Amino acid sequence: MKINNVILQFTAKIVFFMIFFYAVHIFFAGHYTPGGGFVGGLVTASAIVLLIIAFDLKTVQSILPINYIYLIASGLLLALGTAGIAMFTGKPFFTHFFDYFNLPILGKTSLHTAALFDLGVYLVVVGVTMTIIQTIGEDE
């Protein structure tokens, strides 16, 4: 039996985006302050769980048709590829590179390969967390 809780569903739609954008902020702030891919991934997964609580698993799967197994694989490839690319330049594994660039709107900005590694971690954490939650949620 599906319960139609209009107030919870309406609030969840708004709060989902607030939580998601906060997760993006945590992800990008994580290079200089606490946070990063792991914490941002957990916060993103919690936003998706809020939608599952407000609606149901089938509805959220139809809204977000993401195969989380592929998300895990993509994140692992990105993280390991970013960590391993330094070996091709004769540097040790996990050596990250950075440089400063003048970007049109942002001005002088430092870009790091560590951000790509964090993106891989972010994708793995969201994928693993949501796979576990979906597996538990699909049990009758």
Side-chain angles (χ1 to χ4, degrees), residues 58-118:
K58 298 293 181 199
T59 305
V60 175
Q61 284 175 337
S62 67
I63 294 171
L64 299 172
I66 299 169
N67 186 339
Y68 293 108
I69 302 296
Y70 291 149
L71 195 67
I72 295 169
S74 301
L76 280 173
L77 283 173
L78 185 60
L80 290 175
T82 304
I85 201 163
M87 293 176 17
F88 294 113
T89 63
K91 304 276 186 193
F93 188 70
F94 267 117
T95 300
H96 290 286
F97 302 100
F98 73 96
D99 203 356
Y100 293 94
F101 298 94
N102 278 322
L103 299 178
I105 295 174
L106 302 174
K108 186 176 181 182
T109 305
S110 63
L111 298 178
H112 304 258
T113 58
L116 292 175
F117 177 78
D118 264 352

Side-chain angles (χ1 to χ4, degrees), residues 12-28 36 39-51 64 66 68 71 119 122-123 126:
K13 290 177 192 176
I14 295 171
V15 173
F16 166 79
F17 287 104
M18 294 168 65
I19 294 172
F20 177 73
F21 288 126
Y22 182 64
V24 171
H25 168 73
I26 288 174
F27 172 79
F28 284 114
V39 177
L42 288 177
V43 174
T44 299
S46 70
I48 298 171
V49 168
L50 175 65
L51 289 179
L64 299 172
I66 299 169
Y68 293 108
L71 195 67
L119 179 61
Y122 175 87
L123 295 175
V126 171

